[in-house]
Amino acid sequence: MKKLLITFCVAVPLVFTGVTNLKAAESPNSETINYILKMNPGLTKGELMNSAKQAAKQSKKSTEQVLNEVKSELKKQENLTRNEEAKSITFSAAGSSSSSSGSKKQIGTSSKGNIFYTPAATIGVQHGHVGMYYTSNTIVESVKGGVRAIKTNRVFVERNAVVKSVKVSKNKKYNSVNWGKSRVGKDGYSGNFVTNRITSHYGAKNCSKLVWSAFKMKAGIDMDKNKGYGVYPKDIRDSSYTKFVRRVD
């Protein structure tokens, strides 16, 4: 009788340990989640998990697979940033492109339909910033206050900012930036970069989502270079649909 009781008591912890390990295996890696949140300031854990579940449903993958792919994409962005920093690219400490302090340069004018990219950071995380020329001297961009139009003489960018043209017809370029301008005062700002490719074209959006949506909807092109879950400013800058115009020095 004693032998039976001892065997049972030893077996029970093994059974419960197995259940615990199974649940741990099914749960998304906390290290992965923490890294994503660290690299995407302003995004809450709840927002991340909800967007990851939505992405998983659309792509027929597990939430953990989606989060791992998001992490991998962020790692590539981080490595790209590190390489650019090594080439003496400086970054802004503000989330907006309008500031006249420090070594920033006035962006200057350009043709309607062109885009620009400038190094920029949010809470110390370098990610870049993009916007569009609605007219030769008017920029449309999404910043912390939402989508806005601002005169170029009020837009200051970091060293090594670039202006690029988009390789589509003039009509498509115009239609794209006109759509962007139509979102001024309507669409707020979203801090979600990691799955912004699958969010609605309408409503809160960040800078790269605005440019991507405008040209996706009105020019029929996909300016996301790597086609991951997130469209980042560097994805827009490095798209094969863009052509170098000038550097802002």
Side-chain angles (χ1 to χ4, degrees), residues 63-112:
T63 302
E64 187 170 11
Q65 282 179 300
V66 169
L67 290 171
N68 285 334
E69 289 180 31
V70 166
K71 179 182 177 181
S72 177
E73 187 175 13
L74 279 168
K75 284 286 186 183
K76 290 175 182 176
Q77 290 287 322
E78 187 178 19
N79 289 335
L80 182 58
T81 295
R82 189 176 293 113
N83 291 337
E84 291 177 351
E85 284 181 319
K87 295 176 183 177
S88 299
I89 291 183
T90 57
F91 291 88
S92 165
S96 167
S97 62
S98 59
S99 171
S100 59
S101 63
S103 61
K104 292 185 179 183
K105 303 289 185 180
Q106 194 176 105
I107 193 169
T109 61
S110 194
S111 301
K112 177 172 181 173

Side-chain angles (χ1 to χ4, degrees), residues 34 41 64 67 76 81 84 103 123 129 136-137 169 208 221:
N34 290 337
E64 187 170 11
L67 290 171
K76 290 175 182 176
T81 295
E84 291 177 351
S103 61
I123 317 179
H129 177 73
S136 63
N137 65 349
S169 69
S208 47
I221 61 173

Side-chain angles (χ1 to χ4, degrees), residues 162-204:
V162 291
V163 175
K164 306 188 83 173
S165 63
V166 183
K167 294 186 280 188
V168 293
S169 69
K170 183 183 289 187
N171 284 341
K172 287 184 176 180
K173 283 192 279 191
Y174 284 12
N175 288 340
S176 298
V177 296
N178 287 346
W179 180 86
K181 174 64 164 57
S182 76
R183 307 318 302 164
V184 173
K186 296 177 182 176
D187 294 349
Y189 184 80
S190 168
N192 177 17
F193 282 91
V194 298
T195 58
N196 61 358
R197 184 181 170 89
I198 66 169
T199 58
S200 174
H201 293 301
Y202 297 89

Side-chain angles (χ1 to χ4, degrees), residues 177-240:
V177 296
N178 287 346
W179 180 86
K181 174 64 164 57
S182 76
R183 307 318 302 164
V184 173
K186 296 177 182 176
D187 294 349
Y189 184 80
S190 168
N192 177 17
F193 282 91
V194 298
T195 58
N196 61 358
R197 184 181 170 89
I198 66 169
T199 58
S200 174
H201 293 301
Y202 297 89
K205 55 175 58 66
N206 42 52
C207 62
S208 47
K209 173 71 174 187
L210 174 66
V211 176
W212 182 77
S213 288
F215 284 91
K216 187 81 166 67
M217 293 182 69
K218 299 301 178 179
I221 61 173
D222 187 345
M223 294 181 72
D224 179 10
K225 182 184 178 182
N226 63 14
K227 310 297 187 292
Y229 288 110
V231 183
Y232 296 90
K234 290 184 182 69
D235 290 331
I236 300 292
R237 180 196 66 184
D238 298 339
S239 168
S240 60

